[in-house]
Amino acid sequence: MSLDGHPDLTRSALAGSIVYPVTAVAITSVWTATRLAVLGDSTTFGVGDPLPRGGWRGVGPLLADALGADIANFSFTGARIGCVRERQLAPALLARADAAILIAGMNDTLRSDFDPDQIQADLIHIVTALNAQGAVVLLARYHDHGRVFRIPGPLRRALQARIARLNEVIDAVVAATGAPCLDLDRLPGAYETSSWAVDRLHPSELGHRMLASGFADLLAGTGCAVAKPVSMVCEGGRPANKAEHIAWLIIKGIPWLWRRGRDLVPYAIGIIVRSLLGNERPQPPAPVTAEAPAHP
């Protein structure tokens, strides 16, 4: 990292809670991100933004290109927050990145062992460990998946409650650590069909570009030099047509919903019962403070 002309300015002084959309403020760039670490699940792995010769690109490489930075992507499909702490954090610390993005948590909401307190503890540990090495860590809070991926009413309400609880945890982590956070629910175009891949669970190429642009704005808000804006012009494959959407639903979507439904159905029943009793809203997490930074 370069803090050109500001030898007494530390990275911790630059970090803050910035939620999209970013208010336009004249900020002189005072540091440069030369290495970007990417942590998380299938979204940060790039699923939904296919490369012409196979594989995935996604938000990480798009953001690194805008920053003019090298990238080290430690994410993998299916990752939960605990996976990030146990399997991705150590190599990310070795990479000694200047900036890091972390998108994970949705896989946790779809499991019967969903544990907000543990997620909160893991996120604080991850963020503070990376902060201790001088990295600005960017987080994301979630949108309503039920508005883009249609599922039965009780399951949708169960998932909405889980996402609301996850967002409360993320908000608490942001408050405790000062991590900049991208609010996907408020991201312009987040609920447009064109922003989503055929599965409606992962961003399309356009969606990944929107994420990269939002994260670039967050970094610029901390004083990071952004070499060039993220282009919104898509250059990948064509959008899927209606027949392909239906084929995906039959071949992959319904089996996926069946597997995840087995975890969510008991929780959905609980949601219905609490609604009938007039006590549906989940309780907020307890106040937290950032733990001492971990060392690699």
Side-chain angles (χ1 to χ4, degrees):
M1 176 186 71
S2 173
L3 296 176
D4 298 335
H6 298 269
D8 58 340
L9 186 58
T10 64
R11 178 67 57 81
S12 61
L14 298 174
S17 176
I18 305 172
V19 179
Y20 194 96
V22 180
T23 302
V25 178
I27 298 177
T28 302
S29 297
V30 294
W31 65 280
T32 302
T34 60
R35 190 163 181 80
L36 174 70
V38 179
L39 302 93
D41 55 24
S42 53
T43 294
T44 43
F45 190 70
V47 174
D49 182 18
L51 293 170
R53 297 184 178 180
W56 306 103
R57 178 179 50 185
V59 54
L62 291 168
L63 177 59
D65 183 60
L67 296 172
D70 294 329
I71 183 173
N73 195 333
F74 305 101
S75 63
F76 52 82
T77 60
R80 300 173 64 176
I81 295 293
C83 299
V84 177
R85 177 173 181 170
E86 295 167 7
R87 298 172 56 186
Q88 299 180 21
L89 178 59
L93 290 171
L94 291 175
R96 304 196 71 85
D98 306 306
I101 59 174
L102 167 57
I103 303 178
M106 277 306 302
N107 288 319
D108 292 270
T109 66
L110 298 170
R111 299 300 196 276
S112 58
D113 61 350
F114 177 66
D115 186 346
D117 292 334
Q118 186 60 54
I119 291 172
Q120 188 168 287
D122 287 342
L123 274 176
I124 289 179
H125 178 87
I126 294 164
V127 174
T128 54
L130 289 166
N131 284 166
Q133 287 197 335
V136 171
V137 183
L138 309 178
L139 302 177
R141 70 193 312 278
Y142 286 92
H143 59 291
D144 178 5
H145 274 62
R147 288 178 59 182
V148 291
F149 183 75
R150 303 302 180 186
I151 57 178
L155 288 181
R156 178 180 178 180
R157 294 173 62 203
L159 183 57
Q160 284 176 322
R162 284 276 178 90
I163 292 174
R165 188 71 171 89
L166 175 62
N167 282 338
E168 287 179 337
V169 167
I170 293 170
D171 289 342
V173 173
V174 168
T177 64
C181 184
L182 186 64
D183 189 346
L184 304 186
D185 185 61
R186 298 174 60 198
L187 190 69
Y191 293 106
E192 298 293 330
T193 303
S194 58
S195 302
W196 297 95
V198 63
D199 62 7
R200 301 293 179 90
L201 296 172
H202 298 98
S204 62
E205 179 186 347
L206 177 61
H208 278 282
R209 289 181 179 278
M210 290 162 53
L211 289 175
S213 180
F215 282 130
D217 285 347
L218 289 184
L219 285 171
T222 70
C224 177
V226 178
K228 61 182 179 180
V230 177
S231 172
M232 292 295 107
V233 178
C234 294
E235 55 193 28
R238 62 177 177 81
N241 59 38
K242 185 175 181 180
E244 289 168 324
H245 277 284
I246 295 173
W248 181 89
L249 178 64
I250 295 172
I251 296 171
K252 292 186 177 181
I254 292 175
W256 178 90
L257 181 59
W258 170 251
R259 292 193 301 272
R260 294 297 172 258
R262 285 181 295 178
D263 268 353
L264 275 179
V265 163
Y267 183 67
I269 293 173
I271 290 287
I272 294 171
V273 171
R274 286 195 296 276
S275 177
L276 293 173
L277 296 176
N279 185 32
E280 182 176 345
R281 189 181 187 280
Q283 295 299 311
V288 296
T289 56
E291 63 182 49
H295 295 283

